[in-house]
Amino acid sequence: MMTEEFYKNPVLFGADLTGGIVAVERSGDAEVEIFLRKPEGRLVGEVAPLRPVLWVRGGGPGAVALTGGLALDHRVEVGGWKEFQDLQRVLKSAGTPFFCWTDPATQYLAVSGRTLFKGMEFSDLRRLQIDIETDTAEGFDFPNASRDAIAAVAISDSTGWEEFLRVEPGDLDSERSVLAEVNRLILERDPDVIEGHNLFKFDLPYLSARAKRHKLKLTWGRGGEPLISRASRVQIAERTIQYDRFSAYGRHIVDTFLLANHYDVATRELDSFGLKSVAAHLGVSEPGRVILQGDAISDAYRSDPEAFRTYALQDVRETRAIASALGQSYFLQSKIFPLNYQDVILRGNATKIDSLFLREALRRGHSIPLPPEPEAFEGGMTDIFETGVLRDVWHCDASSLYPSIMLAFGISPATDTAGIFSGLLADLRTFRLRAKAAAREAESATDRSRLDALQNTFKILINSFYGYLGFAQGHFA
């Protein structure tokens, strides 16, 4: 059903077919380190040159003229990251219009035409789950990292391996030992992805604060590099979520709390974004689920070690199941967009679509427009033609309605003189409908799940082409 020729579509999947790339990181000023998973499962690292590019208006030293006659009509390639940042400052101070990707991985992937995970299945990823339990001082409803120690850390991974690390109550040396052991286990298990529920807003800030108290670093990156963090926010439909974004060198950090928020935009079915509630909704709750709330966690920590251990391990098992259910769509998208897996989850659909157009324009040596000036436009029309009880109602559905209307009537950006938009939309619609039909006909539950994730991924993408037309930061909006 999914032919090799389709995966060789350079506009959709990038022009370079290198398989097994699981992460890309800047290493030094003018290189990236590429982590590849070989077919037998072995991980290897390779170094490649990093030569960032910018689109600029009007040329300049070293600039190459581009076709198409659009606003940013020259390309400049530089030899390293420092030179790249210096050039941006010069262009800004001179008031020269330009555009560039400011993320090293995106720069490398877009320029090279490579993407992550080609030739891989989701099951090929090495995924590790982590969850912490905390001790809350008597008289307080919520734990505080400056006051309350960690009670335990539960870890599991996609092989079924799991570990429970308990801190002895009131023993700071025990807490320090547990944090050091977590560092060691992550280095030993060497995951591609670290998963957790509410990782960014709770577990990782809490772990970082407790590690700092012990003068430890969380060395979770490949090669033992420490975690780094920065304040960030993500817009998911009408929700703006402020969080600390953590990154681990050579790995991806996935917060299933954010995956659940993305899922709810499409379904509007979740009663809560808590771990237990999401697991129950998705039908992946652990059998014999132990429920501990509030003071009961600290009580069980001291007086019922077996229930406490079971509770913590069930948390990481459910996290793994939620990530499996909701993460496959983003895994598939990582084969398409010039982004690391973690960024595919955190970036909006319009931004991701913009990256496809820009990557293809770069490949063709084509100029690009500046984003259009925002302007007012009418929204959708709604009306009520009849009220009361309506009988004998028939349901008529059109597959991929918005994309089909756009293709039938030739609706595309006026600035897309290279014809990238309509060709990409037509390919995606064809692919989505084939995947949807194949999912219906699949004989095994595994194939049905994989194909359904595939068709849902492309359903979201092709419907987002319509929204992209009104995206203020989209170059071809």
Side-chain angles (χ1 to χ4, degrees), residues 170-339:
D171 187 340
L172 289 179
D173 287 340
S174 175
E175 183 184 40
R176 190 183 196 284
S177 295
V178 164
L179 291 171
E181 180 65 1
V182 170
N183 284 346
R184 189 193 71 78
L185 286 171
I186 289 176
L187 195 65
E188 178 185 275
R189 303 303 296 182
D190 196 21
D192 305 318
V193 184
I194 297 171
E195 299 165 343
H197 197 81
N198 213 14
L199 262 183
F200 290 142
K201 290 178 71 68
F202 182 74
D203 294 64
L204 289 179
Y206 209 101
L207 282 162
S208 296
R210 297 306 298 177
K212 186 176 181 181
R213 176 172 181 141
H214 293 289
K215 296 182 172 56
L216 280 176
K217 291 184 177 180
L218 299 178
T219 52
W220 293 11
R222 282 200 156 112
E225 290 84 354
L227 285 180
I228 58 174
S229 68
R230 59 180 171 84
S232 189
R233 67 178 182 178
V234 62
Q235 186 76 35
I236 302 178
E238 73 281 2
R239 305 173 192 129
T240 300
I241 300 172
Q242 309 277 352
Y243 66 100
D244 289 330
R245 175 177 173 157
F246 284 80
S247 300
Y249 186 87
R251 311 191 201 278
H252 311 281
I253 299 179
V254 172
D255 191 333
T256 52
F257 172 81
L258 295 180
L259 290 183
N261 272 268
H262 282 299
Y263 168 81
D264 194 56
V265 170
T267 64
R268 299 295 181 179
E269 292 175 348
L270 291 178
D271 297 324
S272 161
F273 296 111
L275 175 68
K276 285 79 172 172
S277 179
V278 175
H281 172 82
L282 295 174
V284 295
S285 294
E286 275 285 293
R289 189 44 157 122
V290 174
I291 300 295
L292 299 174
Q293 295 176 339
D295 293 343
I297 294 176
S298 290
D299 291 343
Y301 169 44
R302 286 174 169 77
S303 60
D304 193 346
E306 189 55 38
F308 182 62
R309 180 180 185 277
T310 301
Y311 173 79
L313 288 173
Q314 287 178 331
D315 277 359
V316 287
R317 293 170 195 157
E318 289 184 350
T319 298
R320 182 168 68 246
I322 292 170
S324 295
L326 302 183
Q328 294 196 49
S329 168
Y330 300 97
F331 170 81
L332 294 166
Q333 289 182 42
S334 298
K335 298 183 180 186
I336 297 170
F337 299 111
L339 300 167

Side-chain angles (χ1 to χ4, degrees), residues 72-89:
L72 302 181
D73 55 1
H74 285 73
R75 186 190 76 235
V76 178
E77 182 179 289
V78 297
W81 202 251
K82 183 180 184 304
E83 184 183 351
F84 174 63
Q85 292 178 314
D86 290 343
L87 180 55
Q88 290 178 67
R89 284 191 284 269

